[in-house]
Every structure is written in structure tokens, then in C-alpha cells.
Amino acid sequence: MTRVMVIGNAGGGKSTMCRALSTAHALPYYAIDRIQWKPNWVQASRSEFIASHEAWLSQERWLIDGYGSWDSVQRRMDMADTIVFVDHPIWVHYWWAAKRQVKSLFLGRPDGPEGCPMFPVTIRLFKMMWTLHRDMRPKLLAAIEAHRGHARIIHIRSPKQLAAFAADPC
């Protein structure tokens, strides 16, 4: 594992798992949200996003978590030697995202985009989660399957599988 792409719907435990993966494999960890959003949920320009994303991809070793544009998803897939898809039942994503949103009121979200309070965008987040699940998940599954011979695919389908992988991310 030297170039690892982690993707899946919000609230799936990806960030926590990524910290374990990053430590276990000494990989620099990058979150797409940090280059996609500027303070107050202002979207970064396409050129800013692409420049930062390409800078990450140009490194020999990386762990990148998140979606971004579909072009960036495909670019990461093409370059990744490992693709981790966190794909719990949608209700798990909703439940964990709801807990995270409430928790952010008191503790903030240290791994979220800088200057972007989480709670005010909760409704928008839940709508986006449904769209990702309904529209993007089938497209993502097909794209991941197309990379099966090129990259190691790890498809995590339950909190139990996520915990086991985070505990021993080999």
C-alpha cells in the first residue's frame, strides 16, 4: 500500500480508519474536503482544486480520502494501488453522520474543512448523502470493478468489517 484511495458516503468512519491506515503504513493522509472547501463552505475554484489534487498525486506515497469531482475520483483510481470503498447500509451512514454533526456543536471537527462549521449544513449533507447513495454508488461500484486487476480492492460493507480493517490495516 503506497497510493491508497479511500471513498464512500459521509459518516462511514473513513477519517478514523484513514488515521489508522496512515500510521500503519507511514502514508501522508490527505482529505479532499480540505482542498474542496474554503472557509464558510465556499467551494474552491476548479483550478485551485486540480492544482492541490495533482500535487498530492505526484507524490510517491499518499492516502487520499473523499470524493471531489468525478474526474478527480477517476484520476485517483487510475493511480491508486489500493482502493478502499466504505459502503455500509445507508442507515449506518445517516446515523453516524447525525452523531458527528451533533458532536461538532461541542467539539468542532478537527478533520473537517477549515473554517466550515458542520452543524449548519446538516440538511444539505443529508440530501447529498442520499444523492451519493442513489446516483453515485452504482457508478462508483462499476468504476471500482473496472480497476480490479490494476488495484487491490477492499470493499467494507459493515461497521464490523471497518473496525477489523482499522485494527489491522494490512
Side-chain angles (χ1 to χ4, degrees):
M1 272 190 221
T2 58
R3 292 180 313 256
V4 181
M5 172 184 178
V6 175
I7 197 159
N9 213 329
K14 296 182 307 295
S15 299
T16 302
M17 182 202 60
C18 283
R19 285 190 291 277
L21 262 177
S22 175
T23 300
H25 294 281
L27 294 170
Y29 169 37
Y30 304 106
I32 290 292
D33 279 353
R34 291 202 172 252
I35 61 171
Q36 187 168 337
W37 301 107
K38 293 180 175 189
N40 297 312
W41 296 104
V42 173
Q43 191 160 13
S45 72
R46 180 167 168 74
S47 60
E48 288 173 311
F49 177 86
I50 290 171
S52 296
H53 189 251
E54 288 300 316
W56 292 348
L57 293 177
S58 71
Q59 298 178 33
E60 277 187 44
R61 301 172 58 78
W62 44 259
L63 167 61
I64 302 176
D65 166 24
Y67 267 91
S69 68
W70 184 250
D71 289 345
S72 72
V73 169
Q74 290 181 309
R75 182 101 168 95
R76 265 175 276 144
M77 277 189 197
D78 290 343
M79 296 187 71
D81 61 36
T82 306
I83 300 170
V84 180
F85 181 30
V86 178
D87 185 30
H88 305 304
I90 189 64
W91 69 266
V92 172
H93 287 277
Y94 275 126
W95 175 242
W96 286 7
K99 289 192 309 184
R100 180 184 69 197
Q101 295 300 94
V102 171
K103 189 176 175 183
S104 76
L105 282 170
F106 305 101
L107 303 174
R109 182 163 174 226
D111 57 347
E114 196 170 316
C116 296
M118 298 301 294
F119 197 76
V121 297
T122 300
I123 299 300
R124 189 169 88 185
L125 171 69
F126 279 30
K127 287 178 181 178
M128 181 227 33
M129 289 171 69
W130 179 248
T131 301
L132 285 175
H133 179 75
R134 183 191 65 216
D135 301 336
M136 293 302 296
R137 184 179 175 275
K139 187 176 179 178
L140 186 58
L141 281 165
I144 290 170
E145 190 56 38
H147 285 79
R148 187 165 293 281
H150 164 75
R152 176 181 176 204
I153 309 298
I154 300 165
H155 191 166
I156 296 173
R157 295 176 177 93
S158 72
K160 186 176 180 179
Q161 287 179 345
L162 180 74
F165 184 68
D168 186 19
C170 293

